[in-house]
Amino acid sequence: MYSTGADPLSENSGIGGQVLVPMRFVWPYGGRQVFLTGSFTRWLELPMAPVEGCPTVFQTVYRLTPGYHQYKFYVDGEWRHDEQQPFVSGNYGIVNTILLAREPEAIPPLLSQEISGTRMNMDVDNDAFQRVVTLSDGTLQEVPRISEADIEVSRHRISVFLSTHTAYELLPESGKVIALDVNLPVKQAFHILYEQGIPVAPLWDFYEGQFVGVLSAVDFILILRELGNHGSNLTEEELETHTISAWKEGKVQLRQVDAHSRSFQRRRLVHAGPFDSLKDVALKILQNEVSMVPIIHSSSQDGSFPQLLHLASLSGILKCICRHFRHSSSSLPILQQPISAIPLGTWVPRIGESNKRRLAMLRPNASLSDALTLLVQDQVSSIPIVNDDDSLLDVYSRSDITALAKDKAYAQIHLDEMSIHQALQLGQDANSPYGFFSGQRCQMCLRTDPLQKVMERLANPGVRRLIIVEAGSKRVEGIISLSDVFRFLLR
């Protein structure tokens, strides 16, 4: 039943003299007919009107009593909820939630918002409106809502900073950068990656006098899987005679390395110069889906070889952002928002959700082959390892594959027979005071942690993602990667 012809702003009067708070509800995702329904309308549908000059945005204003409310939308005959707003699974399906924490001292003008393009201020009373975060124990936590305008202000200031600073600022005062000769045997190359504790290294071709690519842990994964697909066990002799160059040539011809029949095409080396902006470097990493970009200084005028200065990563760029805004965090309103209140990361779907990206997790007794397949097919850099209650035990990452170079383990193992537990044990220091599943390798955070805290943790060298866990039980709730943060900030 539709409730039509009613003016919720005038008819929804207070009961017993209680002050009501005018709230603006917005559906910004288009449609022909949109209705609002909620606990405050006794779940009757109220028509929403398109915004003048912006036909894809529908709005209505309703006076609410302070307290907790649920609502959702009826769009062109289908029940919908706004995935960018807090939501829970309730008696009426998946619904959005709001909490009016207090009565306002004065009711502000209702229709004074200015619309610019497709963006608008959707809050009638910014101070009274609160986000609701549902915790694992079912309790509700109030979180001050951040407006779309504040989000855009934060993004703009970060974009300006990244555009006006260069990759030169990423260069450390001292350190080393490792490059591999393209004619080096694969076996020796991955032993170097393992011994140096690095996940990727640029490749140098002496005859061409230039850097021609990179060798990463993904290459080792593909080598292991390809040889396994042909039914041959990986032997020391095969790797001894298989050079990086030969592997790269064979990789170009490879047409079916996973269930998606994905073919690998030869592409030019993605690199940056020392005076490229930090924003350009970050976008190169994101757009090319690589973990690092070599910073190369080319000086062709004097005929010298190009110089490899540094390997730029999102972690280093994020560290620059955190350092620059550390004492002026108030200029970035978004930093104090909890990660659960903003569209960031990959989360375990709630009950009834089917449109969320799957969060890959595995048990410790799963085979190494299963883990490598997920890393390639899902195009993720790590997989949480959990127990039967989905509580975090450890993490298996792409870079962990180089542990098979230790003591020539690759010559004795079968991917289908080795468990993740056993694979991770290969990388454990025998003299380490910490046992397997000690959690020392796991970088975790809570859904209530502010974005600033998450960014500072991700800015640490070697940290590429944080596992979101439930306080106490360590049940996995989601995962946030460096690329997630930058895609959100640079959107």
Side-chain angles (χ1 to χ4, degrees):
M1 176 184 297
Y2 298 144
S3 175
T4 59
D7 182 354
L9 188 58
S10 61
E11 291 187 3
N12 183 31
S13 57
I15 300 177
Q18 186 175 16
V19 177
L20 301 181
V21 182
M23 291 301 304
R24 182 180 305 280
F25 294 88
V26 175
W27 176 260
Y29 308 112
R32 294 185 300 276
Q33 281 188 316
V34 181
F35 298 85
L36 170 70
T37 181
S39 54
F40 43 86
T41 72
R42 298 184 181 179
W43 298 103
L44 296 176
E45 292 90 18
L46 299 176
M48 301 179 69
V51 175
E52 183 178 356
C54 191
T56 61
V57 177
F58 291 76
Q59 67 173 348
T60 190
V61 176
Y62 200 92
R63 293 182 182 272
L64 301 180
T65 58
Y68 173 71
H69 301 280
Q70 297 181 351
Y71 67 97
K72 58 182 178 179
F73 303 91
Y74 194 66
V75 183
D76 296 339
E78 295 184 3
W79 291 111
R80 303 282 297 276
H81 69 282
D82 189 345
E83 296 180 3
Q84 302 303 317
Q85 304 296 333
F87 57 88
V88 297
S89 181
N91 295 332
Y92 293 88
I94 300 178
V95 296
N96 292 110
T97 60
I98 55 175
L99 180 67
L100 293 177
R102 62 174 177 78
E103 298 180 359
E105 296 178 0
I107 299 177
L110 301 181
L111 302 176
S112 61
Q113 285 75 15
E114 294 183 359
I115 301 173
S116 175
T118 59
R119 299 191 180 277
M120 62 179 297
N121 183 351
M122 296 185 291
D123 302 334
V124 175
D125 185 353
N126 291 331
D127 292 332
F129 187 67
Q130 303 285 323
R131 285 187 182 270
V132 178
V133 177
T134 304
L135 302 181
S136 58
D137 59 1
T139 60
L140 300 175
Q141 175 172 327
E142 301 176 16
V143 180
R145 176 180 178 175
I146 186 172
S147 68
E148 185 70 19
D150 283 340
I151 293 178
E152 290 306 311
V153 166
S154 300
R155 286 172 172 161
H156 175 71
R157 288 174 177 164
I158 290 176
S159 179
V160 169
F161 167 75
L162 294 177
S163 299
T164 54
H165 290 74
T166 67
Y168 187 82
E169 299 181 40
L170 298 175
L171 274 58
E173 294 182 0
S174 62
K176 62 180 179 180
V177 182
I178 296 176
L180 302 176
D181 191 296
V182 74
N183 292 312
L184 196 68
V186 171
K187 183 201 74 170
Q188 188 175 349
F190 283 108
H191 184 75
I192 293 173
L193 292 183
Y194 171 74
E195 289 296 329
Q196 297 297 323
I198 55 177
V200 60
L203 299 175
W204 172 259
D205 190 318
F206 179 79
Y207 296 104
E208 295 186 14
Q210 62 182 355
F211 293 97
V212 294
V214 296
L215 186 73
S216 69
V218 176
D219 288 303
F220 201 12
I221 292 175
L222 295 178
I223 289 174
L224 293 178
R225 296 185 66 222
E226 177 64 11
L227 291 177
N229 289 339
H230 290 174
S232 61
N233 187 28
L234 185 62
T235 64
E236 183 178 0
E237 288 75 20
E238 286 173 315
L239 282 184
E240 189 75 58
T241 59
H242 207 65
T243 66
I244 299 175
S245 178
W247 159 244
K248 289 294 184 180
E249 289 298 325
K251 183 179 176 182
V252 172
Q253 304 300 322
L254 199 56
R255 286 296 178 266
Q256 190 170 359
V257 298
D258 57 32
H260 298 293
S261 299
R262 179 184 177 189
S263 63
F264 288 84
Q265 303 295 330
R266 180 188 295 274
R267 62 181 182 180
R268 299 177 61 183
L269 172 66
V270 179
H271 68 281
F275 301 109
D276 289 352
S277 73
L278 292 178
K279 184 175 182 178
D280 287 340
V281 175
L283 290 176
K284 282 186 178 182
I285 293 175
L286 293 176
Q287 293 168 356
N288 292 279
E289 297 182 344
V290 294
S291 60
M292 297 180 179
V293 167
I295 304 299
I296 299 176
H297 177 58
S298 300
S299 180
S300 57
Q301 295 180 351
D302 58 8
S304 61
F305 287 140
Q307 297 178 347
L308 176 63
L309 303 179
H310 186 60
L311 292 180
S313 66
L314 293 179
S315 175
I317 300 175
L318 189 61
K319 187 174 183 179
C320 289
I321 295 175
C322 293
R323 181 171 60 242
H324 180 78
F325 291 100
R326 180 164 296 158
H327 301 297
S328 59
S329 59
S330 59
S331 65
L332 299 179
I334 200 173
L335 291 185
Q336 300 310 314
Q337 288 293 300
I339 54 175
S340 59
I342 52 181
L344 182 67
T346 302
W347 295 74
V348 174
R350 301 168 189 256
I351 297 175
E353 288 185 39
S354 60
N355 59 341
K356 294 291 185 180
R357 178 182 176 185
R358 179 171 64 101
L359 178 62
M361 295 186 288
L362 288 174
R363 304 284 188 261
N365 58 353
S367 71
L368 179 58
S369 178
D370 291 338
L372 301 186
T373 298
L374 280 177
L375 289 172
V376 173
Q377 289 184 356
D378 285 26
Q379 297 182 10
V380 295
S381 61
S382 63
I383 303 171
I385 309 303
V386 299
N387 62 14
D388 292 338
D389 295 324
D390 288 343
S391 295
L392 184 64
L393 299 174
D394 212 303
V395 177
Y396 193 83
S397 305
R398 289 178 183 174
S399 56
D400 288 322
I401 194 66
T402 58
L404 295 182
K406 182 180 180 181
D407 300 326
K408 302 178 182 179
Y410 50 77
Q412 291 87 33
I413 65 105
H414 292 272
L415 300 182
D416 293 327
E417 298 176 0
M418 172 170 279
S419 69
I420 298 176
H421 185 155
Q422 295 169 327
L424 285 171
Q425 281 184 317
L426 289 175
Q428 298 291 319
D429 186 349
N431 298 320
S432 173
Y434 306 110
F436 183 62
F437 294 163
S438 64
Q440 296 299 314
R441 294 171 2 106
C442 301
Q443 299 292 328
M444 297 172 285
C445 66
L446 303 177
R447 61 164 49 223
T448 53
D449 285 344
L451 178 59
Q452 182 176 12
K453 182 176 181 180
V454 168
M455 289 172 57
E456 288 177 348
R457 288 185 180 179
L458 287 172
N460 291 323
V463 179
R464 295 196 58 191
R465 86 286 304 170
L466 295 179
I467 310 298
I468 309 166
V469 299
E470 178 185 66
S473 70
K474 290 187 179 180
R475 183 180 294 114
V476 174
E477 296 186 326
I479 187 168
I480 293 180
S481 67
L482 278 164
S483 57
D484 290 332
V485 172
F486 275 87
R487 286 193 180 96
F488 173 71
L489 294 178
L490 298 179
R491 187 170 61 186

